[in-house]
């Protein structure tokens, strides 16, 4: 029987990915939405989260799709009401907030899942298995997109806690922390912050690798024209390039599998919901904070450069 789930924060990602993924799954029944403005046709809609929790004790799982700053209060209320919780990325505003949620979920005996959708991109698992046992020499993240195209009107991205260019950049770090066998840590960070914003429009980072590989990342929200979501890796046994956010893989210039799906990224959210169904079944927790730790470190140690104002 399908498990009833409520979706809270009906905005871009809820409409583009969560609603279709739930509709296509036999594991789930979308039973209610909670949003101040958004609704989904045919689904019972609430504009108050506490009212939904009170009125629908039959809904055992909530998926939180709002931006990170308001998400903690929703997650805390859901756990306190005995509901399992699925968190969009990034899982919270601060690491301590995320640790607190995990502890609350353990105490309450409910599942909590910090989702990282890019880890579910079509070629990430293949890249991880190809890298296993090889010696890493160099890894470069190149994540450059046009913020006006992909985040129109999202003022929260420019406010403290909104992460700026790390909102997409954390996706790259979620892949890197998934496919590398060894842990890395940040050694330098430069944050380019528009003079009218609180978060960076671009950032450069370097990392230490335990076996001396060169690891770096460049994130830029100002890229017009071609967009890049690439991770380029050199090993002792060849060169691997993950592109299109993990949807495409080449090894020594040879494409590894022709995507049969017109848009291989559409598999990410069905896989996240399959993972959540498994966590709920097993009464388990998946709260990997490694991608967020790197972003937090970038903010902790980053040098700030003020750049021209961002006008949408
Ligand atoms: P969005 O459309 O700007 O916001 C989602 C919804 O959150 C809004 O429609 C709003 O619904 C609710 N919301 C906004 N501020 C709120 C507040 N202060 N309190 C309560 N609810 C609030 O953003 P989005 O693009 O869907 O992104 C949401 C999250 O998904 C982010 O963490 C983002 O990183 C992640 N994500 C986004 C994408 C993408 O392509 N956009 C991809 C993957 C992951 P109401 O006003 O109706 O309450």
């Amino acid at each position: 029987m399908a498990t009833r789930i409520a979706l809270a924060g009906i905005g871009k990602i809820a409409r583009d990915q969560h609603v279709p993924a739930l509709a296509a799954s036999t594991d789930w029944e979308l039973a209610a939405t909670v949003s101040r403005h958004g609704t989904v046709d045919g689904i019972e809609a609430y504009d108050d989260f506490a009212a939904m929790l009170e009125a629908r004790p039959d809904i055992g799982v909530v998926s939180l799709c709002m931006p990170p700053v308001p998400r903690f209060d929703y997650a805390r209320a859901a756990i306190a009401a005995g509901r399992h919780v699925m968190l969009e990325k990034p899982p919270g505003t601060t690491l301590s907030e995320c640790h607190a949620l995990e502890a609350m979920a353990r105490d309450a005996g409910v599942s909590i899942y910090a989702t990282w959708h890019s880890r579910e991109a079509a070629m990430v698992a293949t890249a991880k298995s190809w890298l296993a046992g090889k010696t890493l020499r160099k890894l470069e993240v190149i994540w450059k997109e046009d913020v006006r195209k992909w985040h129109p009107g999202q003022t929260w991205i420019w406010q403290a806690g909104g992460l700026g260019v790390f909102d997409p950049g954390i996706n790259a770090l979620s892949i890197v922390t998934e496919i590398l066998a060894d842990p890395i840590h940040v050694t330098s960070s430069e944050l380019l912050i528009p003079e009218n914003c609180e978060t960076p429009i671009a950032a450069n980072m370097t990392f230490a690798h335990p076996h001396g590989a060169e690891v770096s990342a460049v994130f830029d929200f100002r890229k017009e024209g071609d967009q890049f979501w690439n991770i380029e890796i050199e090993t002792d046994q060849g060169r691997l390039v993950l592109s299109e956010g993990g949807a495409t893989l080449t090894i020594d210039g040879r494409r590894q599998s022709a995507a049969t799906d017109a848009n291989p990224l559409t598999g990410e959210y069905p896989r996240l919901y399959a993972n959540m169904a498994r966590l709920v079944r097993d009464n388990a927790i998946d709260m990997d904070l490694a991608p967020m730790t790197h972003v937090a470190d970038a903010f902790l140690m980053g040098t700030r450069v003020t750049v021209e104002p961002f006008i949408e």
Side-chain angles (χ1 to χ4, degrees):
M1 205 180 88
T3 303
R4 294 194 185 101
I5 188 168
L7 212 49
I10 305 301
K12 181 166 174 20
I13 198 59
R15 288 179 203 291
D16 288 358
Q17 299 290 345
H18 290 256
V19 171
L22 288 169
S25 170
T26 52
D27 290 327
W28 299 104
E29 176 197 335
L30 178 56
T33 60
V34 184
S35 210
R36 298 161 312 175
H37 310 96
T39 57
V40 174
D41 281 351
I43 307 296
E44 187 178 28
Y46 292 81
D47 60 9
D48 182 79
F49 194 58
M52 187 281 292
L53 292 173
E54 172 80 23
R56 296 296 306 267
D58 58 311
I59 298 177
V61 185
V62 296
S63 180
L64 301 179
C65 304
M66 65 285 296
V69 171
R71 201 177 302 127
F72 177 80
D73 287 341
Y74 285 79
R76 179 174 50 186
I79 294 167
R83 298 339 202 264
H84 306 285
V85 174
M86 180 161 157
L87 303 165
E88 249 303 347
K89 49 67 49 173
T93 314
T94 64
L95 285 167
S96 52
E97 222 180 65
C98 298
H99 290 302
L101 288 178
E102 181 175 350
M104 285 178 218
R106 279 191 201 285
D107 284 351
V110 297
S111 296
I112 188 163
Y113 181 21
T115 65
W116 299 107
H117 66 87
S118 291
R119 285 183 174 173
E120 306 299 335
M123 299 310 290
V124 170
T126 312
K128 180 177 180 171
S129 38
W130 185 83
L131 284 170
K134 299 187 172 68
T135 301
L136 184 74
R137 293 194 169 138
K138 188 171 177 181
L139 181 151
E140 277 181 286
V141 170
I142 302 149
W143 226 251
K144 297 185 175 185
E145 65 179 55
D146 183 348
V147 67
R148 291 183 175 86
K149 177 170 178 185
W150 300 104
H151 302 275
Q154 295 192 332
T155 48
W156 58 266
I157 277 194
W158 302 110
Q159 295 161 3
L163 294 194
V165 75
F166 287 109
D167 177 71
I170 202 168
N171 297 334
L173 297 170
S174 76
I175 297 176
V176 169
T177 48
E178 171 68 14
I179 63 178
L180 287 190
D182 296 302
I184 53 174
H185 66 267
V186 182
T187 48
S188 77
S189 154
E190 181 185 49
L191 309 175
L192 281 65
I193 304 178
E195 68 181 34
N196 59 343
C197 299
E198 292 166 347
T199 58
I201 197 164
N204 303 302
M205 296 170 76
T206 60
F207 299 81
H209 181 268
H211 306 301
E214 269 178 65
V215 180
S216 63
V218 50
F219 306 102
D220 204 328
F221 250 162
R222 300 166 299 185
K223 181 76 177 69
E224 294 176 1
D226 290 343
Q227 307 283 287
F228 294 99
W229 298 282
N230 291 4
I231 300 173
E232 303 184 1
I233 297 179
E234 288 172 23
T235 73
D236 61 334
Q237 294 170 54
R239 178 178 161 80
L240 175 153
V241 177
L242 262 175
S243 47
E244 299 178 271
T248 305
L249 174 66
T250 63
I251 293 174
D252 294 329
R254 285 187 303 280
R255 176 91 177 246
Q256 288 307 297
S257 76
T260 48
D261 192 336
N263 180 2
L265 290 178
T266 55
E268 294 181 3
Y269 280 79
R271 284 190 277 275
L272 291 181
Y273 276 103
N275 295 344
M276 184 63 186
R278 205 162 38 244
L279 289 173
V280 170
R281 226 170 15 242
D282 298 346
N283 200 24
I285 285 176
D286 183 345
M287 196 76 176
D288 179 8
L289 300 177
M292 195 157 156
T293 302
H294 293 313
V295 172
D297 286 354
F299 278 96
L300 272 173
M301 72 182 310
T303 56
R304 268 73 173 167
V305 179
T306 301
V307 298
E308 62 185 34
F310 173 74
I311 312 289
E312 187 167 344

